[in-house]
Amino acid sequence: DIQMTQSPSSVSASVGDRVTITCRASQGITNWLAWYQHKPGRAPKLLISAASNLQSGVPSRFSGSGSGTDFTLTITSLQPEDFATYYCQQTDTFPITFGQGTRLEI
Amino acid sequence: QVQLQESGPGLVKPSETLSLTCTVSSYSISSGYYWGWIRQPPGKGLEWIGSIYHNGDTDYNPSLKSRVTISVDTSKNQFSLKVISVTAADTAVYFCARTLDYSSSAPFDYWGQGTLVTVSS
């Protein structure tokens, strides 16, 4: 299985800050990488597909980059509603696997 | 707007079978896309269980494949999950979801709210 490692596991930030979350795959996955936002008791929300493709309705302060094994999710100008847990997911090879999550907190 | 809703018992005894159903509204399963199950144990991350196409084609996570069956009922616009011989390690919030495109490995863009299943005697 392809292992997805996110860092950091948690990060503290303030409204207006810029935050970067990284995701590393244990082997190359070209650009088959998605990012989700997950809040407790809610359904996960797909933010980005194919490493950098912002989903419809997702604010432009979210962006993704990377290819191969190293990827980043960047959130500029944090808003109160952005505090959540973020997961990366590789969709290159079965079984589909997720990172362990990065908790973004105030 | 596609909507998915999980349903099923919230408590299952060890060694018994966990059964969940996902009801889809505002979209016909028969029209395409893959439909999947994902779970999240308490305090842990997300784990893909498996996915199914409307014709019954399935993909499973090898770590669970020997105990899992995913099926589809297009007449009811539902798909289901069965996990046999459950243990406490199967305690989790179970989500159903739809893929972003027609690829079985695509990310999931529509999700249910999730349902907590506890395995305990």
Side-chain angles (χ1 to χ4, degrees):
Chain A
D1 298 3
I2 296 177
Q3 306 301 316
M4 307 301 292
T5 304
Q6 290 182 232
S7 61
S9 296
S10 66
V11 57
S12 295
S14 300
V15 172
D17 285 353
R18 173 190 175 104
V19 170
T20 296
I21 299 169
T22 66
C23 180
R24 173 165 288 177
S26 60
Q27 64 189 69
I29 58 171
T30 57
N31 70 335
W32 297 113
L33 192 284
W35 289 99
Y36 296 86
Q37 177 191 69
H38 192 201
K39 297 180 180 179
R42 305 275 294 275
K45 178 181 179 180
L46 178 63
L47 300 174
I48 289 170
S49 64
S52 60
N53 186 23
L54 196 67
Q55 295 304 292
S56 175
V58 175
S60 59
R61 62 181 180 273
F62 291 90
S63 64
S65 64
S67 66
T69 60
D70 294 310
F71 302 86
T72 60
L73 171 70
T74 300
I75 313 170
T76 58
S77 188
L78 274 172
Q79 298 301 301
E81 61 268 27
D82 299 336
F83 293 94
T85 299
Y86 293 84
Y87 292 94
C88 62
Q89 175 203 29
Q90 67 83 16
T91 58
D92 178 79
T93 303
F94 282 113
I96 297 164
T97 48
F98 293 85
Q100 82 279 13
T102 295
R103 183 175 179 181
L104 175 55
E105 53 193 8
I106 300 174
Chain B
Q1 179 83 345
V2 180
Q3 292 184 314
L4 298 91
Q5 179 66 58
E6 305 88 352
S7 59
L11 181 64
V12 181
K13 291 182 168 57
S15 80
E16 296 190 345
T17 298
L18 179 160
S19 296
L20 296 174
T21 296
C22 183
T23 301
V24 180
S25 53
S26 301
Y27 188 84
S28 172
I29 286 179
S30 298
S31 296
Y33 295 97
Y34 276 79
W35 305 86
W37 288 98
I38 303 96
R39 70 181 185 180
Q40 183 177 34
K44 296 187 177 181
L46 299 166
E47 178 181 35
W48 172 72
I49 299 170
S51 299
I52 191 165
Y53 197 56
H54 66 83
N55 65 358
D57 286 348
T58 52
D59 290 295
Y60 294 117
N61 191 325
S63 68
L64 294 165
K65 187 174 183 178
S66 63
R67 298 193 297 124
V68 167
T69 302
I70 297 175
S71 58
V72 64
D73 186 339
T74 54
S75 67
K76 295 181 178 179
N77 219 36
Q78 296 175 333
F79 62 105
S80 299
L81 170 72
K82 290 189 188 299
V83 182
I84 65 171
S85 304
V86 298
T87 69
D90 294 307
T91 294
V93 175
Y94 286 76
F95 297 96
C96 59
R98 192 196 81 170
T99 56
L100 177 65
D101 58 39
Y102 290 94
S103 167
S104 61
S105 61
F108 298 102
D109 63 343
Y110 288 101
W111 294 65
Q113 292 295 308
T115 187
L116 174 63
V117 179
T118 301
V119 178
S120 176
S121 55

